[in-house]
Every structure is written in structure tokens, then in C-alpha cells.
Amino acid sequence: MAAPRNKKSFEDFMEELNIYHDFLSECVNNDNNTDLIEMMNSFRDFLKKACIISNGYFDLFEQFIQNPKYLEFRDFFMFCEAYHERLIEIKEKESLVNKKIDISSFEKSLTLEYNKKFYQDILTEFKSLQKYMSATKKFVMVGCGSFPITLFSIAQKYQHIQSTGIDISLEAIINAKELKNKLKYSKITFDIIDGANFNYRDYDTIFIANLVIPKTEVLKRIATTCKPGTIIFMRVPVLYGNLLSEDVNYVSMNCFELIDSIEPSDMTDDILYKIIVLKKI
């Protein structure tokens, strides 16, 4: 006989969200970055558990997104996730620039548990994306950030690819360039530009990062500038991952074909998002 589900009430879920909201608000207001990182790590773990059927909150998701508090919570936690990501990136980057490393030792040099898990998730994801990457010559990542761990993993595995990282943040590109020079990798370039203004014409494969906002505007720009047959990877939220990153309605654009969906596997630590693969028609 199957074990009974650990049912929890909607009130339980909202109470826990309010607790995280209050603690994170205090961290933000007091510029307490160390506690914010720890609290966001805890919050992400809470959301991951909520996405598991046997943990009680899975069945409450549809009820939650109809609640008037949903949009308020989503905007706040998305802000915290972006802030958390920035803090993590800067902390890891500052650690690595003081070490003697190159692209071959990059993985072993990671110091933060968050990034160690994320790197392994990237390797798992790209095993499923191998057929697209082997045909790629020019790759661009939208929203590469200060610590472009995806681009560095690609640089190590796919040495035939010329990659570009773009980000709207000057600080992010300065930090990414510094780390790229430290790794002595010549096939990555960086550009300070909004992904909604970039020209994607020369790229075979495009990756839209999880925290890019607004994804819809970026995808519209891709649709008008990329060539037919271009492949687009996009991380999109799963269930409670909607509290941390933006989803996008690509179907309404009528110019992309969904050709693949890389669901979180038992080998993936983060079950809050998946990768969809689109092809420009």
C-alpha cells in the first residue's frame, strides 16, 4: 500500500511564505548580505520540497496562483532571488581571482556549495543538449551575469564554439571579463547590452538565462533578428519556481517551434526550473 501523502493546508503554506518574506525584508532593509544568502538558500530548499508530491504543498499550487497575494509575493521573491544571485556571483568571483587557476581547473576551484551543485546541474542538462551543441559554432547567452558559470562550462567542453555573454549590467560584464582573463580563455567575448536590443543574426544557438527580465521582450527581439533554424534554450520556472523567475508565452509569437523539453531529473539538484528548446521557424 502506498504511503499517505503528507497533506498540509493552504494556511500553513501562506504562513511559511510570510515568515520568509519578513526575514528577507529585514535582511534587505539592514543590508545584511550574509543572512540574505543563507535565508534565500533555505527558501529555495523550501520551494523545492513544495514541488515534491509527497511533501504536502504540491497540490496547492493552482490555488496559490489565484490568490491575491501571489503577485506581491512573486515580485518580492524574484527581487530577492536576483539579489541573492548577484551576491553569490561576486563572492565566488572574488574567491577565484585570487587563485592560480585555468579553464581546466575551474570546476575544482569552486568554493560555494550553491555553485558546485549548479555546475553539476549544467553538466547534466548539457548531456541532453549535446545534439544541439555539437552543431553550434556561435553561441550567445543572454543575462550572463558576473559569474558566467554556464559559459565557462561550455568553454571547457565545447572548444569549437565561439561564445558571447551579454548583460545589461556594467558591473556584471566587468567582473565576467576579469574572471575570463584569469581563466585565459580566448573564445568568450562579453558585451554590455540589453538582450531586448541585441542583434542575434549571426548566432546558431541562444541561451536565455533563468533570471532575465523581461524574457518576453528578449524573445520578441530574437524572433525579429535571428535566422530561421536558430536554436533557443530557455530556462523556465516549474511550479513554485514561478516565485523566483519569469515565465514566457512563446506560443503567442507564432514563430517558434517547441522541439525539446529538458525536465529536472534525479541527477539535478534544482527542480524549480526546466529547459525548453525552441527553433525559429
Side-chain angles (χ1 to χ4, degrees), residues 104-234:
S104 64
S105 61
F106 172 70
E107 178 184 358
K108 294 180 180 178
S109 300
L110 296 174
T111 59
L112 301 179
E113 192 64 27
Y114 178 92
N115 284 328
K116 290 178 182 179
K117 290 179 179 178
F118 186 40
Y119 191 89
Q120 292 304 312
D121 287 349
I122 292 170
L123 296 181
T124 299
E125 290 169 349
F126 274 86
K127 286 180 181 178
S128 300
L129 299 171
Q130 171 67 33
K131 58 184 175 182
Y132 309 110
M133 295 302 293
S134 60
T136 297
K137 293 181 180 179
K138 294 192 70 176
F139 180 98
V140 59
M141 182 159 194
V142 185
C144 64
S146 290
F147 190 76
I149 191 170
T150 300
L151 287 177
F152 293 145
S153 67
I154 289 171
Q156 186 174 5
K157 185 173 182 180
Y158 304 100
Q159 298 181 10
H160 68 284
I161 293 177
Q162 181 72 47
S163 296
T164 300
I166 65 172
D167 202 290
I168 198 172
S169 166
L170 171 62
E171 178 190 31
I173 295 301
I174 290 173
N175 284 314
K177 283 183 175 180
E178 182 181 4
L179 190 52
K180 170 239 178 176
N181 292 335
K182 176 73 175 182
L183 294 169
K184 297 182 174 64
Y185 199 78
S186 60
K187 288 191 175 182
I188 304 176
T189 58
F190 293 99
D191 192 6
I192 307 164
I193 188 170
D194 189 331
N197 297 324
F198 190 73
N199 190 334
Y200 298 91
R201 178 186 57 203
D202 297 329
Y203 293 89
D204 312 302
T205 304
I206 302 163
F207 199 146
I208 304 176
N210 198 35
L211 298 183
V212 167
I213 297 175
K215 285 192 177 97
T216 299
E217 294 306 310
V218 171
L219 201 56
K220 286 179 180 178
R221 177 65 175 176
I222 291 171
T224 59
T225 62
C226 78
K227 57 184 180 289
T230 298
I231 299 297
I232 300 98
F233 303 151
M234 185 163 53

Side-chain angles (χ1 to χ4, degrees), residues 2 8 28 30 36 43 66 69 116 135 188 219-220 225 234 278:
K8 295 186 179 181
V28 171
N30 295 328
L36 186 139
F43 181 58
Q66 299 300 321
K69 292 277 288 183
K116 290 178 182 179
I188 304 176
L219 201 56
K220 286 179 180 178
T225 62
M234 185 163 53
L278 306 176

Side-chain angles (χ1 to χ4, degrees), residues 230-249:
T230 298
I231 299 297
I232 300 98
F233 303 151
M234 185 163 53
R235 285 197 177 100
V236 295
V238 173
L239 292 175
Y240 292 107
N242 281 271
L243 285 173
L244 302 179
S245 64
E246 184 182 78
D247 206 346
V248 61
N249 182 8

